[in-house]
Amino acid sequence: MHRRVWRFLIIAAAMARASLAAAAADPPRLQEEVWALPLPAPTIAYVVRPVGDGPFPLAIMNHGVSLDPVQRGFFPLVEFRDAAMWFTRRGYMVVAPSGPGYGAAAIDVPEAGLFAAFFSKIGKCSNPNFRDAGLAAAQLNLWIIEYMSTLKRIVPDNVIVIGQSAGGWGSIALSSVNPPPVKAIVVFAAGRGGRVDGKPNNNCGPEKLVEATAAFGRTSRVPMLWIYIENDTFFGPELSKRMHAAFTDAGGNAEYHLFPSHGSDGHFFIGAAEAVPIWSPLVSAFLDKHK
């Protein structure tokens, strides 16, 4: 009799261990959605979140820009889906806004009096206004944080921001106003004014860009991680290192990492599925340090 009981307990324990192992092996269930955000500038966003009611920490992901109205009209809803999924598997509710003037909101028919609300232009290259363009993108993030907080679906004081290219520049600008809910910011290939007339390594106003970066650094105190790639033809190593030096010398708090060349142009590193295992250990360690 006792042997039967012990045999039953051993089998039950083995089944419990197998069940726990299977649960641990299963990735968390994720839900992908498209939201219309009722912000002062109405915005469509790709949203991916863990299944459930939350609340979840929030991750905002900012895309780059295109000065071509045709390209803006065909802009994808999300540029870096695999990266968004990685952040969601860490427990974040990811909101990736399609900036005003992009995708379905890119209505540019001047002869009909219809103009897209593309509010982050830098103006002429003879005197580019990098600062205000960055702050315009930052304002969109502040609206998103405020709106998502009212829904009680997010942990209001646990927000991270991720940005690529001009979206990264807007994220640097956001750091300069130090929004209390934002715990950390990660940028990939951040900057503005890259590839004038489509020419590689032909920035609109590198001196102005470095000056604007320093201006943001003077008030920025949010922990930041700056990631650049050796073969980025928009913001190459020489320029990105100057930007980082200007930012930190002014008082900004940013770690700088330069990865080896990737693909034909490292500027699009974050959008490549095969790049996620390359950058994710660095980003994971950074986020763990700044919880």
Side-chain angles (χ1 to χ4, degrees), residues 5 11 36 53 97 128 130 192 205 225 231 235 255-256 259 290:
V5 172
I11 293 172
D53 295 330
F130 293 125
R192 285 302 304 263
L225 174 63
N231 65 332
F235 310 105
E255 299 177 24
Y256 176 95
F259 278 97
H290 298 290

Side-chain angles (χ1 to χ4, degrees), residues 184-264:
I185 295 175
V186 181
V187 299
F188 291 78
R192 285 302 304 263
R195 290 189 63 129
V196 178
D197 298 326
K199 297 178 182 178
N201 302 304
N202 185 34
N203 192 271
C204 185
E207 299 301 328
K208 293 278 189 181
L209 185 62
V210 172
E211 289 175 10
T213 310
F216 288 145
R218 280 193 279 274
T219 57
S220 173
R221 298 297 179 266
V222 180
M224 300 189 73
L225 174 63
W226 292 17
I227 295 174
Y228 288 88
I229 312 300
E230 186 74 39
N231 65 332
D232 185 335
T233 65
F234 288 72
F235 310 105
E238 189 273 335
L239 178 56
S240 64
K241 288 176 181 177
R242 287 180 59 199
M243 291 168 61
H244 179 255
F247 185 80
T248 54
D249 287 350
N253 178 9
E255 299 177 24
Y256 176 95
H257 288 268
L258 181 67
F259 278 97
S261 296
H262 184 273
S264 59

Side-chain angles (χ1 to χ4, degrees), residues 124-207:
K124 295 181 179 180
C125 267
S126 56
N127 188 29
N129 185 347
F130 293 125
R131 178 183 177 276
D132 287 352
L135 290 173
Q139 181 60 62
L140 180 64
N141 283 189
L142 294 174
W143 288 334
I144 290 171
I145 293 169
E146 181 180 11
Y147 174 68
M148 296 301 294
S149 296
T150 64
L151 299 182
K152 303 189 184 306
R153 298 286 294 276
I154 66 166
V155 180
D157 61 348
N158 192 354
V159 178
I160 64 169
V161 176
I162 306 99
Q164 187 265 348
S165 192
W169 179 248
S171 303
I172 294 174
L174 178 69
S175 80
S176 73
V177 299
N178 301 297
V182 177
K183 300 301 182 188
I185 295 175
V186 181
V187 299
F188 291 78
R192 285 302 304 263
R195 290 189 63 129
V196 178
D197 298 326
K199 297 178 182 178
N201 302 304
N202 185 34
N203 192 271
C204 185
E207 299 301 328

Side-chain angles (χ1 to χ4, degrees), residues 1-176:
M1 180 69 178
H2 291 298
R3 289 180 181 176
R4 290 181 181 178
V5 172
W6 277 110
R7 187 178 300 122
F8 172 80
L9 291 174
I10 291 169
I11 293 172
M15 292 177 64
R17 284 196 298 270
S19 177
L20 288 171
D26 281 344
R29 294 171 57 215
L30 309 181
Q31 179 74 37
E32 295 181 272
E33 301 164 338
V34 178
W35 286 26
L37 304 179
L39 310 178
T43 301
I44 301 296
Y46 166 82
V47 175
V48 57
R49 59 179 176 82
V51 170
D53 295 330
F56 308 105
L58 172 66
I60 300 174
M61 299 189 74
N62 297 313
H63 65 68
V65 304
S66 172
L67 300 182
D68 183 340
V70 175
Q71 288 186 11
R72 289 203 300 274
F74 287 95
F75 210 78
L77 181 61
V78 58
E79 274 197 296
F80 18 71
R81 180 172 177 263
D82 293 285
M85 290 287 188
W86 181 84
F87 283 99
T88 304
R89 290 187 183 100
R90 282 186 61 95
Y92 290 97
M93 181 176 192
V94 174
V95 175
S98 181
Y102 287 84
I107 306 171
D108 257 317
V109 190
E111 61 272 20
L114 299 174
F115 299 91
F118 178 45
F119 58 66
S120 61
K121 292 181 178 178
I122 61 173
K124 295 181 179 180
C125 267
S126 56
N127 188 29
N129 185 347
F130 293 125
R131 178 183 177 276
D132 287 352
L135 290 173
Q139 181 60 62
L140 180 64
N141 283 189
L142 294 174
W143 288 334
I144 290 171
I145 293 169
E146 181 180 11
Y147 174 68
M148 296 301 294
S149 296
T150 64
L151 299 182
K152 303 189 184 306
R153 298 286 294 276
I154 66 166
V155 180
D157 61 348
N158 192 354
V159 178
I160 64 169
V161 176
I162 306 99
Q164 187 265 348
S165 192
W169 179 248
S171 303
I172 294 174
L174 178 69
S175 80
S176 73

